[in-house]
Amino acid sequence: MKVLEMFYEDKDLVMTPSRDPKPISQVAENITVVTAREIEAINAHTLADVLYTVTGVQIDLRGGPGTQSTPAIQGSDPLHVLVMIDGVAQNFLVNNSADVGAIPVQQIERIEIIKGPASSSWGSSLGGIVNVITKSPNEDRAATGLVSTSFGERFSGDHRGELSGTVGGLGYYLHAGKLHSDGLLANNQFDGNRAYGKLQGEIGEGGTLQWTLGYSGGSRGDQEDPRADLTSKNRFDNLFSTLSFAYPVTERVDFDLSLHTSLKHLDRYDSQLSTGVEQSQLSIEELTYGGSAKLTWREQVHHLAIGTDFDHGDVRETTSAIGNPVAVVKPRLTKWALFANDTIALGSLTVIPGIRYDHTNTNGDFASPSLGITYGLGEHTVLRGAVARGFNIPPLVFTSGDGLTTAPSPNLKVEKVLSYQAGFETSLFRYFWLKTTFFRHDVSDAIVPILLANGQAQFLNQNRQRREGVEVEVKTVPVFDTTFVAGYAYVDARGRDSGERLSNVARHTWNLALQYDDRRGLRGNLAGHYIWWNAASINQGRYTPVIWDLNLAKRFFAGERIAVEAFVTAHNLFNGSQYLADSLKNPRRWIEGGVRFSF
């Protein structure tokens, strides 16, 4: 831990790799942690804005605030990335997509991102994990809070408030906000509301009971496609809740029980651009519920977590199109799992074995073993290596069909991956921190679409793929209050049988930043992002320039408990064009500014 103290703070304890907090120096997986302070420094509006800056994560961040976005990790399909808030999956069961453009950031304490399969802990997650951990109640005061408002071009605005504290043993955290934009591009408007609440109290001697409730909803346009003569709009509502109980059975054994439920709704409307006539409509309703139970045993050498998960989801998908009858399908997914993950600390060596068994009613069973090793080399370097077997449950629309455009594939199997990762993390060079990770992911039973004679698409396990490459991250110590940060990811994605390179998979990704903080109230962040998409020629994508964003903040007043800060952001400072397809372009330069009042 001393090796990394210059570059990590309290975020060193991470829970996502083995589902129980442990030092980051004992994590074999390639993990990145983003804190609330880092999120504030880039004036992020949604989770998509944050993931855009993370090395190894590829995201087509087109449009303005709130635009629909899905992340990929190390060149994976976005459908292979599991996104969670408070342990509740945000992915739709029907298509496995997680709309990170709809997830607000104000309530986020930190984000833990595992790059590569995490199936031995979490099940279906072939590409990786994005785990959002929300803020806890302030334990020291009865009431603390923040009010923030910002305004930008095209009537863009982000207005937020939060309140937190502890009264008589009961802790609370409350957040509400509104994000709006008239659209920085044609048919790119957004209007959304969000709210979140957490209550936490003590039960018995050391026991904790916690309840959370979160909501986000809104309407937006998904730009225009002149070549296809198509324009789209959608309306979404996401509601989730958790109830968890933690109790120390003995000094070394803890018991955790958690329950969760989620309700998702999405309506999508596609219209002909030239005439405005509606062409098709899609409606998705999903109700999921489940729970998990876990025992954690800690002693001098072992840190063992064993448990079980259960989840059930009911889906109703309604599809209509001109000239076709309305189609309604009602698939469901029931799954349960048993897991065990250990962390064995043997001096400078840490061994991390894990295994999980998953059962599904749709695509059979799967066992996911993993083995990781970390080794502290002297006082300045940590070596890491891991091998893991992972899987991904196919979207329900692939298995059940939608009754209109997609034919059912009842014998569809889960997609599988065998993953290898190795790397090191060091501050040996005194003035900067360096992290390097090499990875290889061999995917089998990859799902591909087949066009049938009746015009429907059917999805079958007919492909093998390989994604391999390297990630490099560098961060310097502050010089004249300025820190330089750089991250580079190279991904070579090919078919294992044909050897052909896969198109629309980001091959080169760069993240660059100059961060200034004088610790007296002036902060600045100049961040550059470049991604080489290797797009199919039909997409007519453009990605030659680096996209630069400038964030400035100045604290004008700081009392004992009150602070006022003004901030301004210039997005796409030099008017660069960087997009995967010309039908979904990125905005030109736009500016916003606002003020934060904390107490």
Side-chain angles (χ1 to χ4, degrees), residues 39 216 536:
I39 293 172
S216 65

Side-chain angles (χ1 to χ4, degrees), residues 97-235:
S97 67
D99 181 10
V100 293
I103 298 176
V105 297
Q106 185 60 46
Q107 76 270 26
I108 296 177
E109 178 64 33
R110 68 185 189 275
I111 306 166
E112 297 179 0
I113 303 154
I114 294 181
K115 304 165 189 176
S119 296
S120 61
S121 290
W122 298 99
S124 179
S125 56
L126 187 150
I129 296 278
V130 176
N131 188 18
V132 172
I133 299 171
T134 56
K135 295 178 180 178
S136 297
N138 188 310
E139 298 179 353
D140 300 324
R141 295 173 55 187
T144 63
L146 176 140
V147 176
S148 172
T149 186
S150 67
F151 296 92
E153 298 181 43
R154 298 292 301 167
F155 293 99
S156 298
D158 191 349
H159 316 293
R160 319 174 188 177
E162 69 177 16
L163 190 65
S164 178
T166 299
V167 179
L170 177 65
Y172 66 92
Y173 174 84
L174 305 172
H175 160 66
K178 183 177 184 63
L179 180 63
H180 174 84
S181 175
D182 281 356
L184 301 172
L185 298 166
N187 190 38
N188 180 223
Q189 67 278 5
F190 180 86
D191 188 69
N193 301 301
R194 62 280 303 270
Y196 180 84
K198 176 184 288 187
L199 297 177
Q200 182 175 296
E202 295 184 0
I203 294 182
E205 297 183 3
T208 303
L209 185 67
Q210 180 177 277
W211 174 76
T212 71
L213 179 67
Y215 169 80
S216 65
S219 59
R220 59 188 167 195
D222 201 17
Q223 299 197 30
E224 298 177 349
D225 188 349
R227 282 189 294 147
D229 194 22
L230 192 69
T231 181
S232 300
K233 297 181 179 179
N234 65 65
R235 166 76 200 184

Side-chain angles (χ1 to χ4, degrees), residues 238-451:
N238 299 326
L239 180 69
F240 70 92
S241 182
T242 69
L243 179 65
S244 59
F245 171 70
Y247 189 78
V249 180
T250 69
E251 290 183 357
R252 296 182 177 181
V253 178
D254 292 341
F255 173 72
D256 293 90
L257 175 67
S258 63
L259 305 174
H260 61 262
T261 185
S262 173
L263 178 63
K264 302 184 183 73
H265 182 89
L266 174 69
D267 290 321
R268 180 181 177 92
Y269 309 91
D270 296 330
S271 302
Q272 189 174 14
L273 180 60
S274 57
T275 64
V277 176
E278 186 173 299
Q279 301 294 300
S280 63
Q281 180 177 344
L282 171 69
S283 179
I284 300 173
E285 295 182 4
E286 292 189 3
L287 175 62
T288 61
Y289 58 86
S292 65
K294 180 186 67 175
L295 276 175
T296 305
W297 174 57
R298 305 179 185 90
E299 60 100 24
Q300 189 173 2
V301 175
H302 290 274
H303 188 155
L304 176 64
I306 60 174
T308 180
D309 292 331
F310 171 81
D311 288 278
H312 176 84
D314 289 304
V315 178
R316 177 186 174 91
E317 181 181 13
T318 305
T319 309
S320 63
I322 291 179
N324 293 281
V326 176
V328 180
V329 293
K330 299 179 180 180
R332 60 178 52 186
L333 174 64
T334 301
K335 55 184 180 178
W336 57 264
L338 301 171
F339 64 87
N341 293 278
D342 198 4
T343 301
I344 307 170
L346 304 169
S348 299
L349 176 68
T350 304
V351 181
I352 309 107
I355 190 167
R356 179 181 169 111
Y357 175 81
D358 282 85
H359 169 80
T360 72
N361 70 311
T362 53
N363 309 98
D365 307 337
F366 194 79
S368 308
S370 67
L371 178 64
I373 295 175
T374 70
Y375 183 76
L377 188 63
E379 298 182 357
H380 302 281
T381 303
V382 175
L383 306 180
R384 291 187 171 94
V387 59
R389 189 168 183 251
F391 74 101
N392 215 77
I393 300 172
L396 286 181
V397 69
F398 291 2
T399 303
S400 303
D402 65 2
L404 192 61
T405 61
T406 304
S409 300
N411 297 319
L412 201 61
K413 296 180 291 186
V414 299
E415 297 177 279
K416 307 173 184 67
V417 65
L418 186 59
S419 174
Y420 311 88
Q421 298 199 50
F424 65 90
E425 191 169 353
T426 182
S427 59
L428 181 64
F429 305 104
R430 185 180 295 270
Y431 297 111
F432 68 90
W433 163 84
L434 171 67
K435 178 183 176 184
T436 301
T437 304
F438 299 90
F439 60 87
R440 173 172 165 174
H441 308 304
D442 288 334
V443 180
S444 57
D445 288 327
I447 297 173
V448 297
I450 304 297
L451 186 63

Side-chain angles (χ1 to χ4, degrees), residues 323-588:
N324 293 281
V326 176
V328 180
V329 293
K330 299 179 180 180
R332 60 178 52 186
L333 174 64
T334 301
K335 55 184 180 178
W336 57 264
L338 301 171
F339 64 87
N341 293 278
D342 198 4
T343 301
I344 307 170
L346 304 169
S348 299
L349 176 68
T350 304
V351 181
I352 309 107
I355 190 167
R356 179 181 169 111
Y357 175 81
D358 282 85
H359 169 80
T360 72
N361 70 311
T362 53
N363 309 98
D365 307 337
F366 194 79
S368 308
S370 67
L371 178 64
I373 295 175
T374 70
Y375 183 76
L377 188 63
E379 298 182 357
H380 302 281
T381 303
V382 175
L383 306 180
R384 291 187 171 94
V387 59
R389 189 168 183 251
F391 74 101
N392 215 77
I393 300 172
L396 286 181
V397 69
F398 291 2
T399 303
S400 303
D402 65 2
L404 192 61
T405 61
T406 304
S409 300
N411 297 319
L412 201 61
K413 296 180 291 186
V414 299
E415 297 177 279
K416 307 173 184 67
V417 65
L418 186 59
S419 174
Y420 311 88
Q421 298 199 50
F424 65 90
E425 191 169 353
T426 182
S427 59
L428 181 64
F429 305 104
R430 185 180 295 270
Y431 297 111
F432 68 90
W433 163 84
L434 171 67
K435 178 183 176 184
T436 301
T437 304
F438 299 90
F439 60 87
R440 173 172 165 174
H441 308 304
D442 288 334
V443 180
S444 57
D445 288 327
I447 297 173
V448 297
I450 304 297
L451 186 63
L452 303 179
N454 62 2
Q456 288 186 324
Q458 187 175 41
F459 292 85
L460 303 174
N461 302 103
Q462 290 193 352
N463 203 353
R464 301 196 309 159
Q465 301 172 356
R466 172 170 295 157
R467 294 180 284 110
E468 56 187 353
V470 62
E471 286 184 20
V472 180
E473 297 177 74
V474 175
K475 184 176 182 180
T476 68
V477 297
V479 178
F480 298 110
D481 300 321
T482 303
T483 301
F484 173 72
V485 180
Y488 170 71
Y490 169 79
V491 180
D492 185 26
R494 298 176 182 267
R496 290 165 60 191
D497 298 316
S498 66
E500 295 181 0
R501 182 169 288 123
L502 304 179
S503 60
N504 300 332
V505 176
R507 195 174 184 194
H508 304 279
T509 308
W510 282 95
N511 290 287
L512 306 169
L514 280 176
Q515 301 170 348
Y516 178 83
D517 189 346
D518 67 0
R519 304 293 178 179
R520 296 183 298 274
L522 180 62
R523 293 183 295 160
N525 185 300
L526 177 63
H529 182 83
Y530 173 77
I531 187 164
W532 197 85
W533 279 107
N534 188 34
S537 58
I538 192 174
N539 288 355
Q540 297 186 19
R542 292 187 62 185
Y543 34 87
T544 302
V546 177
I547 303 299
W548 292 94
D549 297 323
L550 177 62
N551 300 276
L552 299 173
K554 173 63 178 176
R555 188 170 62 242
F556 288 98
F557 177 80
E560 183 178 350
R561 294 189 175 182
I562 297 176
V564 180
E565 181 180 69
F567 58 92
V568 62
T569 298
H571 300 271
N572 195 1
L573 192 60
F574 302 110
N575 272 332
S577 295
Q578 190 181 112
Y579 47 83
L580 176 61
D582 66 347
S583 59
L584 298 168
K585 297 182 179 180
N586 66 298
R588 307 293 285 176

